Amino acid sequence: MSDLKTGSLKNCYVVELPRIRAPEGSLTFIESLNHIPFAIRRTYYLYDVPGGATRGAHAHRNLCQLLIPVAGSFDVTLDDATDSQVWHLNRPYLGLLISPMVWRNLSNFSSGSVCLVLASELYDESDYIRDYHEFKSLQGRK
Ligand code: TYD
């Protein structure tokens, strides 16, 4: 991702994924660099999230992610140190693309919900910014 694409809510958006609907059920698929603007190097998923729990509370320096509510629903609050916006994700064919240098909180998980995450990089703790004040100052807004 180029610097121009990072650090702004303007570069975070909902991606409508392909959907094959049939009487026997629906199918959605995702291809690297085709349906999303990055190559997938890692996937993980959040599940068994207790009611009232909040996840996230960090930003990433370089990582790009797509969050998909493959079951149930949850809210994602994004914050670029200037603006914030809340997305309610509740369709398994609609993913939220999060660019680097955007703070995220995930909350309001419905019972049995599963959040699938596609990520552009392998796990690297040094890519995380877990202190909101540090995030704000890196964004140039103390
Ligand atoms: P974290 O990304 O902080 O979770 P969330 O944002 O959903 O609240 O990760 C929680 C823990 O899991 C942390 O100790 C790092 C570890 N972890 C891995 O080891 N590999 C991974 O790919 C991820 C996403 C997390």
Side-chain angles (χ1 to χ4, degrees), residues 42 44 46 55-56 58 123 128 130:
R42 175 169 55 111
Y44 63 93
L46 304 173
R55 310 247 0 170
H58 62 257
Y123 174 72
Y128 282 74
R130 294 192 184 272

Side-chain angles (χ1 to χ4, degrees), residues 28-90:
T28 283
F29 55 95
I30 304 150
E31 295 174 351
S32 280
L33 298 170
N34 188 359
H35 305 107
I36 54 173
F38 59 85
I40 300 161
R41 297 195 72 202
R42 175 169 55 111
T43 66
Y44 63 93
Y45 38 97
L46 304 173
Y47 55 98
D48 287 349
V49 180
T54 298
R55 310 247 0 170
H58 62 257
H60 287 280
R61 296 171 201 276
N62 296 306
L63 188 73
C64 207
Q65 293 178 308
L66 187 80
L67 273 53
I68 306 167
V70 289
S73 64
F74 51 87
D75 292 342
V76 185
T77 305
L78 299 184
D79 176 347
D80 64 8
T82 299
D83 296 309
S84 72
Q85 188 172 348
V86 182
W87 278 267
H88 180 62
L89 299 185
N90 62 356

